Amino acid sequence: ISKKLTVEEKIDGTKLILVRTDKDDDQNWYNNWILSYKGNILYPDEFKYLSDKDKEGIKTSSIGISQYALVFDRIKSINYKSIPKNTGFSIEFAQNKETLTRTYKITQGLFLRSYANVKYYINRGFLTLSSGSEVIDKDSVVSMAKKLGIYTFPILMDGYINTQDNFRNAIKNDS
């Protein structure tokens, strides 16, 4: 109890893997990235039929895979040259889905869990990774999330809980 405690909010979303590839393609931004869900590679062209107006509707009413179009919009805007090549990111996508038990303040938000140097292999639309040491240090994750323009998990509690006053002071989010 004498150690400092940090508790982060668990976001109920979909775990995605984002890979910064070994390419630097200024003409086709999607060649600089790979996005996968359960090893299945998602492609931006799968969602090219969606207009900006459609995407606005997706933000409020969709519970389906069309929400991934919003992820690609986020990826497209990242300054890929500021991200080390061959880096894999474990990301939680706070999408709308039928199984949610509560409402989040940030829907369709991307939350960085961790990242690592990776080697990747693509075979028939599936992504296979081997990675180095996973970076989970909070300061490093926050720094990388800022470069990506995404969130880190909200802090619920941060501090000591060895006294009643310290416990109260450690609470950062009263929800």
Side-chain angles (χ1 to χ4, degrees), residues 26 49 83 100:
D26 290 330
Y49 64 91
I83 307 299
L100 288 181

PDB file of all heavy atoms in Angstrom, residues 26 49 83 100:
ATOM      1  N   ASP A  26       5.059   9.184 -50.491  1.00  0.00           N
ATOM      2  CA  ASP A  26       4.341  10.454 -50.422  1.00  0.00           C
ATOM      3  C   ASP A  26       3.104  10.471 -51.326  1.00  0.00           C
ATOM      4  O   ASP A  26       2.189  11.258 -51.107  1.00  0.00           O
ATOM      5  CB  ASP A  26       5.256  11.615 -50.820  1.00  0.00           C
ATOM      6  CG  ASP A  26       6.336  11.879 -49.782  1.00  0.00           C
ATOM      7  OD1 ASP A  26       6.088  11.631 -48.592  1.00  0.00           O
ATOM      8  OD2 ASP A  26       7.432  12.329 -50.171  1.00  0.00           O
ATOM      9  N   TYR A  49     -16.379   4.214 -50.818  1.00  0.00           N
ATOM     10  CA  TYR A  49     -17.731   4.592 -51.240  1.00  0.00           C
ATOM     11  C   TYR A  49     -18.401   5.543 -50.242  1.00  0.00           C
ATOM     12  O   TYR A  49     -19.424   6.145 -50.549  1.00  0.00           O
ATOM     13  CB  TYR A  49     -18.608   3.344 -51.408  1.00  0.00           C
ATOM     14  CG  TYR A  49     -18.838   2.592 -50.124  1.00  0.00           C
ATOM     15  CD1 TYR A  49     -19.926   2.880 -49.314  1.00  0.00           C
ATOM     16  CD2 TYR A  49     -17.950   1.609 -49.703  1.00  0.00           C
ATOM     17  CE1 TYR A  49     -20.134   2.214 -48.125  1.00  0.00           C
ATOM     18  CE2 TYR A  49     -18.143   0.936 -48.518  1.00  0.00           C
ATOM     19  CZ  TYR A  49     -19.236   1.243 -47.731  1.00  0.00           C
ATOM     20  OH  TYR A  49     -19.422   0.578 -46.548  1.00  0.00           O
ATOM     21  N   ILE A  83       7.255   8.973 -37.428  1.00  0.00           N
ATOM     22  CA  ILE A  83       7.078   7.684 -36.761  1.00  0.00           C
ATOM     23  C   ILE A  83       8.145   6.718 -37.264  1.00  0.00           C
ATOM     24  O   ILE A  83       8.323   6.572 -38.479  1.00  0.00           O
ATOM     25  CB  ILE A  83       5.673   7.105 -37.057  1.00  0.00           C
ATOM     26  CG1 ILE A  83       4.573   8.135 -36.726  1.00  0.00           C
ATOM     27  CG2 ILE A  83       5.462   5.796 -36.313  1.00  0.00           C
ATOM     28  CD1 ILE A  83       4.513   8.579 -35.298  1.00  0.00           C
ATOM     29  N   LEU A 100     -21.787  -2.772 -25.886  1.00  0.00           N
ATOM     30  CA  LEU A 100     -21.308  -1.783 -24.916  1.00  0.00           C
ATOM     31  C   LEU A 100     -22.247  -1.735 -23.718  1.00  0.00           C
ATOM     32  O   LEU A 100     -23.469  -1.736 -23.871  1.00  0.00           O
ATOM     33  CB  LEU A 100     -21.216  -0.397 -25.538  1.00  0.00           C
ATOM     34  CG  LEU A 100     -20.093  -0.158 -26.535  1.00  0.00           C
ATOM     35  CD1 LEU A 100     -20.137   1.284 -27.033  1.00  0.00           C
ATOM     36  CD2 LEU A 100     -18.737  -0.453 -25.929  1.00  0.00           C
TER      37      LEU A 100
END
